[in-house]
Amino acid sequence: MSASILRRLLLSSLFGGLWLSPLIFAQPQPTPESSLSPRVTATLEPTRVAPGEIAQLRVTVLVPTFMPRPVEFPTLDQPNLRVQLPERATMPVSRRVDGRSWAGVSRRYELTPLAAGEFMLGEGTLEITFQDTETGETVTRTQTLAPQTLTAAVPEAAAGLSPYLAGTSLTLEQQLTVIRAGEPPAAEAPATTDESLVPSGEAPVSLSIGDSLQREIVATLEGGSALLLPSLVPSAVVANMERHATSPTVTEVPNGGSRTERLTYIAQYGGTVTLPDITVRWYDLKNQRIVSTRVAGMTIAIEGAPAPSAVAGQSLRQYGTLGIVILLLGVLIGSGRRWLWPFWTRARQQRRLRRERSGITALRRLERQVRARRYAESLSAWQALLRKAPLLPDSRYREVTHCLAVLGRERYAAKPNPSQPSPDPSEAAWRALRQALPSVADLRQARDEPPLPPLNPGAIS
């Protein structure tokens, strides 16, 4: 081989190696870290609702490989906003990102505003664990959820409605049940001891002192949230009756729900009582207007003595004067051969009358009923004693009234959790009632006190 040819081969190999060296020794550039980071998207539909309507927030998380551990989603709880996870709220998903298949999960929240206002749903954080495509190691990244704003506004046609309640249908139903005095409550007695009533509005329902009336009201809503149903308990005080209310029961269904409340009225004094109507105002979503739904009240006639009145109260001294007159008449009429026997008989009658007028007989009857633990009979005996001794000391009156109220709540109010046994406080309540009963000395003190102060104290020297 000639020298020229050899020189040509050396030059070509030298320059050819330099031209190929970038291809041989160049290292591949790593994919930027941002392109391998998890991708989080959030969509809120709709962004503006009325209180009680549901909006849906969907959060989707995608990674380039797979996730060995579940994603830790943020909590969205805040006042006046109900956050729920419906059935199958979290589902696996896959998407094509830059020509590659990414895997992940999607979670759907149901958001129900309970009042008007704006609710900020960001910026919550998510912890995402996935396998790195380059190193093969498991890494954990923290991503921030994009801020979302949910606005709850009352429609203009329902601007005067407070509290706001909307739906497509609302019905009110009531059931009335009478429990006569001396019978156990419905939970303890057979069904034959209760008398169910359907008010006709023509004639009043008749009760006696100690009887009770249970009024159960059920509001059923369709096309709205049952959580917005207002209280069904009338705020007005019913005269001559003591009222006890149980905790309401709210039941939800996919398209509405119901609210149930129960009231127990206990007859304490005689007279005519009217239970008020119950009216619920709500916004009709179909007709875009405010509607009122009403359940009628009823009239109750209570047999027995009316409530004691300070104006109608009479002085005990007047009763004493009347007793003396009756005794003198008895002495004059009983003169003759058999004067002693009629006098003794009339003396016994006068003594019985004095005990009756002074309240001693009523007090003894009350003590017997309390010892026997008969609530209705004790309540009737207490009212009879007040009619005989309207000027009892205030401390005695308050103590006895409080003890009877406690026993009434224990008898008629529903227990918080009937399935769990709870200690019975009736023993302590009955013992406290026995200790609070007035004595004969209290009756004498009330008899000696004037019923009213002087009309013009300054004129008395």
Side-chain angles (χ1 to χ4, degrees):
M1 182 179 295
S2 64
S4 61
I5 296 176
L6 182 60
R7 189 182 305 113
R8 244 186 252 154
L9 290 174
L10 290 175
L11 290 175
S12 64
S13 62
L14 175 62
F15 287 103
L18 293 175
W19 178 73
L20 293 175
S21 60
L23 299 178
I24 298 174
F25 298 102
Q27 298 296 330
Q29 297 296 326
T31 305
E33 183 179 353
S34 58
S35 64
L36 298 179
S37 298
R39 298 192 177 185
V40 179
T41 59
T43 57
L44 176 64
E45 293 182 357
T47 59
R48 185 181 181 89
V49 295
E53 294 181 347
I54 297 177
Q56 293 190 0
L57 174 66
R58 186 179 295 275
V59 179
T60 303
V61 180
L62 293 174
V63 296
T65 53
F66 65 93
M67 293 181 289
R69 288 201 299 268
V71 178
E72 295 186 9
F73 287 91
T75 59
L76 306 176
D77 296 334
Q78 54 185 290
N80 291 328
L81 180 66
R82 189 184 190 195
V83 181
Q84 285 183 300
L85 293 176
E87 187 178 357
R88 300 176 63 86
T90 305
M91 298 289 294
V93 295
S94 75
R95 300 283 190 275
R96 297 291 294 180
V97 178
D98 297 333
R100 298 178 58 182
S101 179
W102 286 41
V105 293
S106 178
R107 170 165 290 187
R108 181 166 55 95
Y109 297 89
E110 288 186 351
L111 310 176
T112 307
L114 303 181
E118 290 189 350
F119 302 91
M120 304 301 297
L121 305 177
E123 304 167 344
T125 58
L126 301 88
E127 287 192 2
I128 307 169
T129 303
F130 65 102
Q131 187 181 36
D132 190 277
T133 55
E134 297 296 334
T135 63
E137 297 179 356
T138 300
V139 295
T140 300
R141 300 282 174 81
T142 299
Q143 294 281 7
T144 302
L145 188 65
Q148 303 284 337
T149 302
L150 175 62
T151 302
V154 176
E156 294 183 2
L161 187 61
S162 180
Y164 177 80
L165 174 64
T168 57
S169 173
L170 176 67
T171 59
L172 286 177
E173 298 178 352
Q174 74 172 344
Q175 181 179 1
L176 301 172
T177 304
V178 170
I179 301 178
R180 301 298 177 183
E183 295 178 355
E188 303 175 3
T192 55
T193 62
D194 295 345
E195 177 184 349
S196 298
L197 304 175
V198 178
S200 61
E202 300 176 356
V205 177
S206 297
L207 297 179
S208 300
I209 294 178
D211 292 349
S212 62
L213 174 69
Q214 289 185 353
R215 188 183 191 186
E216 183 178 273
I217 307 102
V218 180
T220 304
L221 178 68
E222 295 182 2
S225 175
L227 296 176
L228 298 183
L229 285 169
S231 173
L232 306 176
V233 177
S235 58
V237 178
V238 179
N240 299 335
M241 302 189 82
E242 183 178 352
R243 184 182 71 178
H244 299 283
T246 62
S247 300
T249 302
V250 178
T251 303
E252 293 184 271
V253 295
N255 194 34
S258 63
R259 180 186 179 102
T260 303
E261 297 194 29
R262 177 179 294 179
L263 299 171
T264 300
Y265 297 91
I266 307 173
Q268 291 187 315
Y269 303 103
T272 302
V273 176
T274 300
L275 295 186
D277 300 343
I278 297 176
T279 303
V280 177
R281 299 176 70 240
W282 56 286
Y283 182 65
D284 188 351
L285 295 175
K286 289 183 179 179
N287 301 312
Q288 302 293 308
R289 62 189 180 93
I290 298 177
V291 182
S292 295
T293 302
R294 182 181 67 91
V295 62
M298 63 182 306
T299 302
I300 302 174
I302 304 177
E303 299 177 358
S309 174
V311 178
Q314 297 184 3
S315 174
L316 292 178
R317 294 181 181 177
Q318 296 177 353
Y319 288 106
T321 302
L322 181 60
I324 294 175
V325 171
I326 295 176
L327 179 61
L328 293 176
L329 290 176
V331 172
L332 293 176
I333 295 174
S335 59
R337 289 183 305 173
R338 304 183 61 182
W339 178 81
L340 292 177
W341 175 256
F343 176 79
W344 181 75
T345 303
R346 289 180 174 82
R348 291 184 58 191
Q349 294 176 354
Q350 293 301 325
R351 181 176 180 273
R352 184 168 61 253
L353 288 174
R354 286 195 301 271
R355 291 173 61 87
E356 186 74 23
R357 295 191 188 102
S358 62
I360 296 178
T361 302
L363 176 60
R364 299 307 182 210
R365 186 181 302 114
L366 174 60
E367 291 173 347
R368 290 195 299 271
Q369 301 301 339
V370 171
R371 285 195 299 269
R373 298 187 178 182
R374 301 188 184 99
Y375 175 75
E377 289 79 0
S378 299
L379 183 61
S380 300
W382 170 243
Q383 303 303 332
L385 177 59
L386 290 180
R387 292 192 295 272
K388 296 297 182 181
L391 301 178
L392 284 174
D394 292 341
S395 59
R396 292 291 187 184
Y397 177 83
R398 288 194 299 268
E399 292 176 3
V400 175
T401 303
H402 172 72
C403 293
L404 289 173
V406 171
L407 289 170
R409 285 193 298 270
E410 295 175 3
R411 180 180 176 88
Y412 296 103
K415 304 299 186 297
N417 190 355
S419 63
Q420 296 182 358
S422 58
D424 185 10
S426 298
E427 176 65 27
W430 282 110
R431 184 166 57 252
L433 178 58
R434 288 197 301 269
Q435 296 175 355
L437 292 179
S439 62
V440 177
D442 294 329
L443 298 180
R444 294 196 185 99
Q445 179 182 356
R447 180 185 60 192
D448 295 335
E449 292 179 356
L452 292 174
L455 296 178
N456 190 5
I460 301 176
S461 56

